[in-house]
Amino acid sequence: MNKTELPASQPGLAVPTIESRDLRKSFGAVEVLKGVSFKAYEHQVISIIGASGSGKSTFLRCLNFLEAPSSGEIDFKGRSLEIGGGRAPTRIEIEGLRRRTGMVFQQFNLWSHWTVLENIIKVPIHVHGVPRQQAVQRAMDLLAKVGLREKVNAYPASLSGGQQQRVAIARALAVEPELLLFDEPTSALDPELVGEVLAVIRALAKEGRTMLVVTHEMSFAREVSDKVVFFHDGRIEEEGPPAEVLRQPRSPRLGAFLKSVR
Amino acid sequence: MNMKRRMLLVSAAMLVAGASTVLAADQRVVKLATDGTYAPFNYTDPSGKLVGFEPDLVDDICKRMNVKCEWVIQNFDGMIPALNEKRFDAILASLSITDERAKAVDFSIPYYAGPTRLIASGDGKLGQFKSGEGSTILLGSMSDKDKAVIGDVAAALKDATVGVERASTHAKFFEETFPGVKVKIYDKGENMMLDLVAGRIDAAVDGAGSTLNFISEQEKAGKKFVAFGPALKGGALGKGVALAFRKGEETELREEFNKAIREATADGSISKMSVKWIGVDGSIPENAAK
Amino acid sequence: MNPLHLLAFGPTGWGDELAYGAAMTLVIAALGFAGGLVLGLPIAAARLSSNVVLRAISGVYVTVVRGVPELLVIYLLFFGGGQFYRYVADALGYSGAVAADAFSAGVLAVILICAAYSAEVFRGAFQAIPKGQIEAANAFGMTRSTLFCRIKLPQMLRYALPSIANVWQLVLKDTALVSVTGLVELMRTIDVAAGSTRSPFLFYMTAILIFLAFTAVSNKAFEGAERHFSRSVIGGYGK
Ligand SMILES: Nc1ncnc2c1ncn2[C@@H]1O[C@H](COP(=O)(O)OP(=O)(O)OP(=O)(O)O)[C@@H](O)[C@H]1O
Ligand SMILES: [Mg+2]
């Protein structure tokens, strides 16, 4: 198995934004994550690829405890949240971590009883205590950025999938997260809508945000990521810069996977 | 304002179980339950005042007992449970004595028994029937003369069809008293009366009170109907209506009421009051004798 | 004589009595409904709780109250409560007579019945909330109470509203059962008037019209509320 290497851009002793050590997760008797050790540094864009059922989503959801990991450790900005064996992280610790991350889901998961604006400002106001005025100002800026200013008072149900996902991205950005998690953000979209969402994510990558993106879009992974991580059967099978991992896979399984998606 | 008075009536009902028998130092208070929806026995005028035969009767007998009687307004459906809950001392609400109820409560002697009448068109043969007119026959204790009158009625009904109501005591009474007469049984009193008007039956059996109503209503419509033969009471017709007390309790109070009812029957007070309110004499002469 | 004079207001007619009875019916229904909804919420929460004991108790409550005739609940509280009240009074060292008054017993009965029905409505509505929206709220670090007040409750109410309108109708009709206690609400007034004047047709028709009027007005109100709460579903713009 590969040891994670610091990319050249990283100064020697930097603390990872998020790190997992020997992370395991079982659903009943089935072990879905079989010891995942992983690091993401500030400003890194990391693509997570792998076959369906290989544990990509489960891994991402364990990082912010939407799934409770069975054992292992997660460090967020150097602070450890130990799981199993030791002390389980408290709800307050978990909430603290979640407030510093933003998540974008495959199915958008916008709150359907709120307008676009409300979807974006409610978390800053009620969770982070941002003054309303300021939250609205920031929401308008973000909507301009994702190209949806005119939809500010629309309800999610009246938007296309691509528009909903762009709102969901604005919602995630509104909390000024230190880490953005994307779980297949374009998989639920009609092919003609994928582009508009990828464009927004590309722009975010250029801004130097720290992002973990579970994706099936190989070209996106190649162009945008600093690092590609390949999951197989609950383990990280191979990882490295996209040019190496996607062009000259060392693992035969990765080779087979890349052939199958091409 | 009558609304206020009405509210007082409500609060009286609410306070039912408040202080039970203390109150006025000299006079004992007895709480009696009624429904207030059964004209002309007990009903409510638009000002909320309870009126009718039974309120008058209570004024009379409570005076004889030297107690202060207070009304508690209670829906008829919940009356026996409320009695057992001690929300009042007794029920006085046109409750007829039945074997079934007697298992749940102790009855006083009956204070009223509505006579039963036979009714027919005034133009027909039965309308002209004169035997026993104006008399009341007690089925439980008939003299020879009474038996002769019943024989006359039976003879007059020989070829007739007579309507009776299924749920009442009338069906049983009629078969026992006039065996062999052709009977048509109705589920509803109104249907029976409609058939009588249409001539599909020759005569009908009904309580004296409703008979009077029916006759006066038909008179307005220009049709003549009459009650014929003697008024009938007792026997299979049932024992009448009485006060009900909690089973096994209030024996003394019950005796006091029995005594007052006997007196009010003997001196004709109940007879007078029932004629005034109901239009027929519902007093029970056997009571006075005891 | 015109039979409608019986419905006149004032000392000779039943109009003011009917108005009083109708007002009483509305008061019982409103208190019973409000109390029932407030009580229904924690019962629904208990039904959905991961705690086995809470789930069992609330399950039994909802099944029993919805399973037995409503009249029985009223009888139990008004007539059957005596021993219980006695016990409580004795425990408090009070030896005087005690009993539930018709109004409290009636309102309490309606609350208990309404709570059972609305708990089931709420439970279904909570379950209808898309899981993803709750997950999103969690992912952004909402506290449990923020999640409940800002996401679950409003979404749940939107799904519950049509069925809650039915519960209101049920409550409105159940007030008529409270008349067995002798409490002078609309149905009792109608009974008294019908029996006392021997004009059942007139008064029962009047009762039907009054209840229909109540229903019509509340239907309008619920329609408005539903429109308000489902604007997001229709996908209109603005408020
Ligand atoms: N809540 C759950 N209970 C039981 N098993 C689960 C649960 N969630 C996921 N799994 C199982 O865990 C395994 C990994 O699922 P996961 O969703 O992480 O895969 P994935 O790599 O994201 O796949 P995909 O590309 O299809 O999204 C699968 O076999 C899945 O069936
Ligand atoms: Mg997945």
Side-chain angles (χ1 to χ4, degrees):
Chain A
M1 202 200 269
N2 295 297
K3 204 96 199 54
T4 308
E5 285 158 78
L6 294 186
S9 62
Q10 284 298 323
L13 290 171
V15 175
T17 299
I18 195 151
E19 173 175 3
S20 73
R21 284 188 295 276
D22 198 29
L23 196 69
R24 289 168 190 273
K25 171 67 182 175
S26 303
F27 291 106
V30 185
E31 195 171 42
V32 172
L33 295 182
K34 300 171 178 171
V36 178
S37 296
F38 169 93
K39 282 178 185 159
Y41 289 93
E42 204 177 342
H43 307 306
Q44 270 193 329
V45 177
I46 299 178
S47 293
I48 300 174
I49 60 172
S52 181
S54 57
K56 308 179 298 291
S57 298
T58 306
F59 173 66
L60 206 65
R61 293 158 54 77
C62 278
L63 291 181
N64 65 358
F65 294 85
L66 284 181
E67 300 289 358
S70 307
S71 71
E73 273 175 74
I74 293 174
D75 285 6
F76 186 75
K77 293 246 164 174
R79 282 207 51 195
S80 166
L81 297 145
E82 213 173 312
I83 308 128
R87 179 185 66 88
T90 61
R91 170 102 192 171
I92 294 191
E93 280 177 297
I94 293 173
E95 277 168 10
L97 176 139
R98 288 172 175 172
R99 283 172 200 180
R100 296 165 71 177
T101 61
M103 191 166 194
V104 175
F105 300 84
Q106 184 172 350
Q107 299 295 338
F108 333 131
N109 294 347
L110 292 176
W111 295 301
S112 57
H113 60 305
W114 281 336
T115 62
V116 164
L117 179 69
E118 286 166 334
N119 264 277
I120 300 173
I121 63 173
K122 291 285 183 177
V123 172
I125 293 175
H126 299 297
V127 179
H128 295 261
V130 174
R132 192 188 155 85
Q133 190 92 47
Q134 199 180 318
V136 171
Q137 188 51 54
R138 181 162 169 75
M140 297 311 282
D141 292 348
L142 289 170
L143 279 175
K145 188 168 176 168
V146 299
L148 287 171
R149 267 204 84 134
E150 78 283 3
K151 296 292 186 189
V152 63
N153 287 321
Y155 281 95
S158 68
L159 302 180
S160 74
Q163 289 171 330
Q164 288 191 53
Q165 194 61 301
R166 284 187 278 154
V167 173
I169 293 171
R171 171 175 73 173
L173 293 172
V175 299
E176 308 191 15
E178 292 159 69
L179 172 67
L180 273 168
L181 306 173
F182 292 82
D183 190 0
E184 301 195 27
T186 57
S187 296
L189 299 176
D190 293 339
E192 71 272 19
L193 299 177
V194 170
E196 64 187 56
V197 174
L198 283 184
V200 170
I201 300 176
R202 251 188 213 107
L204 296 178
K206 288 213 181 83
E207 283 174 17
R209 290 178 183 274
T210 315
M211 310 200 295
L212 304 187
V213 187
V214 173
T215 184
H216 286 300
E217 301 283 336
M218 290 309 137
S219 57
F220 171 84
R222 189 163 41 240
E223 286 164 39
V224 176
S225 6
D226 301 304
K227 181 163 90 170
V228 172
V229 174
F230 172 64
F231 266 71
H232 177 78
D233 192 22
R235 290 190 178 88
I236 295 180
E237 172 90 6
E238 185 164 344
E239 62 184 313
E244 293 172 21
V245 171
L246 298 178
R247 294 236 172 79
Q248 293 123 26
R250 277 168 288 168
S251 151
R253 294 193 187 106
L254 175 54
F257 171 73
L258 290 174
K259 274 205 193 83
S260 72
V261 291
R262 227 164 256 145
Chain B
M1 189 187 161
N2 63 1
M3 186 92 102
K4 276 215 188 91
R5 248 186 286 156
R6 190 155 183 90
M7 283 205 237
L8 281 179
L9 201 71
V10 182
S11 350
M14 287 178 179
L15 289 173
V16 175
S20 176
T21 34
V22 237
L23 276 166
D26 41 351
Q27 257 193 334
R28 203 155 38 110
V29 173
V30 175
K31 289 182 156 54
L32 299 172
T34 191
D35 185 43
T37 64
Y38 194 53
F41 287 86
N42 60 70
Y43 61 106
T44 314
D45 73 12
S47 72
K49 193 167 169 284
L50 197 64
V51 290
F53 165 64
E54 286 167 346
D56 278 11
L57 173 73
V58 163
D59 286 348
D60 180 290
I61 58 178
C62 291
K63 208 177 291 158
R64 291 173 202 264
M65 293 164 64
N66 190 30
V67 293
K68 189 167 183 302
C69 285
E70 281 175 9
W71 283 114
V72 173
I73 307 300
Q74 168 68 53
N75 189 295
F76 196 80
D77 293 333
M79 222 165 245
I80 291 179
L83 175 71
N84 289 327
E85 274 286 298
K86 306 196 178 175
R87 283 164 194 272
F88 36 77
D89 303 306
I91 298 170
L92 199 160
S94 297
L95 198 66
S96 13
I97 303 173
T98 64
D99 291 345
E100 208 171 313
R101 283 183 186 142
K103 284 179 202 146
V105 295
D106 286 342
F107 281 108
S108 69
I109 60 170
Y111 53 84
Y112 174 93
T116 299
R117 301 298 315 252
L118 283 159
I119 179 169
S121 165
D123 307 326
K125 190 183 73 160
L126 290 170
Q128 313 301 320
F129 184 80
K130 288 289 176 256
S131 175
E133 201 172 64
S135 73
T136 299
I137 289 180
L138 300 170
L139 294 172
S141 51
M142 285 195 284
S143 64
D144 288 346
K145 204 183 118 216
D146 292 341
K147 283 179 186 153
V149 171
I150 295 293
D152 291 344
V153 178
L157 292 175
K158 203 164 82 62
D159 299 319
T161 303
V162 182
V164 293
E165 230 180 302
R166 185 190 302 279
S168 66
T169 52
H170 296 158
K172 192 171 162 233
F173 136 78
F174 197 82
E175 256 164 44
E176 279 180 16
T177 318
F178 303 107
V181 176
K182 201 171 161 213
V183 168
K184 186 160 184 212
I185 298 198
Y186 290 85
D187 281 329
K188 283 206 163 88
E190 294 114 73
N191 294 343
M192 176 172 79
M193 290 316 201
L194 285 174
D195 271 8
L196 181 65
V197 172
R200 280 190 280 270
I201 52 176
D202 305 299
V205 180
D206 207 355
S210 25
T211 319
L212 286 177
N213 281 339
F214 175 76
I215 290 171
S216 70
E217 267 169 35
Q218 291 301 316
E219 209 168 77
K220 276 183 223 155
K223 288 188 184 136
K224 188 163 181 269
F225 281 87
V226 293
F228 66 94
L232 302 165
K233 282 191 195 182
L237 281 172
K239 303 182 180 83
V241 297
L243 287 89
F245 299 84
R246 276 185 291 284
K247 193 89 190 153
E249 293 178 34
E250 314 282 6
T251 338
E252 269 173 48
L253 185 63
R254 187 151 52 95
E255 267 320 307
E256 286 176 57
F257 270 105
N258 285 348
K259 183 165 166 277
I261 291 168
R262 281 194 197 101
E263 287 170 19
T265 309
D267 69 10
S269 306
I270 293 184
S271 165
K272 231 180 285 164
M273 283 184 278
S274 63
V275 169
K276 172 186 165 197
W277 285 102
I278 305 152
V280 294
D281 181 358
S283 69
I284 303 168
E286 295 114 303
N287 279 347
K290 276 179 209 159
Chain C
M1 200 173 0
N2 182 354
L4 289 179
H5 77 277
L6 288 172
L7 297 177
F9 281 71
T12 58
W14 289 86
D16 43 354
E17 280 68 30
L18 290 177
Y20 174 83
M24 184 59 108
T25 285
L26 285 181
V27 167
I28 299 170
L31 289 177
F33 185 60
L37 293 186
V38 167
L39 186 61
L41 205 53
I43 297 175
R47 290 275 276 152
L48 295 167
S49 149
S50 51
N51 182 320
V52 186
V53 179
L54 284 181
R55 230 169 33 226
I57 294 175
S58 55
V60 168
Y61 175 82
V62 163
T63 311
V64 169
V65 174
R66 295 191 315 155
V68 304
E70 275 118 36
L71 199 55
L72 211 56
V73 177
I74 294 169
Y75 269 36
L76 185 72
L77 287 173
F78 190 58
F79 302 123
Q83 286 154 346
F84 175 72
Y85 305 131
R86 180 75 268 159
Y87 178 81
V88 172
D90 286 345
L92 296 172
Y94 174 71
S95 59
V98 285
D101 69 82
F103 182 79
S104 321
V107 169
L108 189 59
V110 177
I111 287 178
L112 294 182
I113 294 163
C114 174
Y117 282 93
S118 52
E120 280 307 86
V121 171
F122 290 156
R123 186 174 68 107
F126 272 124
Q127 286 174 325
I129 302 174
K131 294 285 161 289
Q133 296 190 28
I134 292 169
E135 194 156 77
N138 275 321
F140 285 99
M142 279 193 197
T143 58
R144 280 178 223 264
S145 62
T146 309
L147 170 63
F148 182 81
C149 298
R150 309 240 167 232
I151 309 285
K152 286 189 178 175
L153 199 59
Q155 295 245 4
M156 181 280 279
L157 287 177
R158 190 178 75 191
Y159 292 112
L161 209 54
S163 308
I164 284 298
N166 288 339
V167 173
W168 165 251
Q169 298 254 309
L170 184 91
V171 162
L172 204 54
K173 286 192 278 185
D174 277 357
T175 59
L177 298 176
V178 175
S179 69
V180 296
T181 62
L183 182 69
V184 185
E185 42 62 77
L186 182 56
M187 203 56 221
R188 170 71 194 168
T189 312
I190 290 287
D191 274 343
V192 170
S196 297
T197 60
R198 288 199 265 179
S199 309
F201 183 77
L202 173 71
F203 283 102
Y204 291 139
M205 276 314 286
T206 307
I208 286 176
L209 291 178
I210 294 175
F211 272 110
L212 281 180
F214 286 170
T215 305
V217 170
S218 39
N219 277 351
K220 271 271 164 290
F222 275 107
E223 268 169 33
E226 261 173 59
R227 228 180 352 257
H228 177 81
F229 277 101
S230 57
R231 22 171 238 259
S232 54
V233 180
I234 297 156
Y237 283 78
K239 290 189 195 174

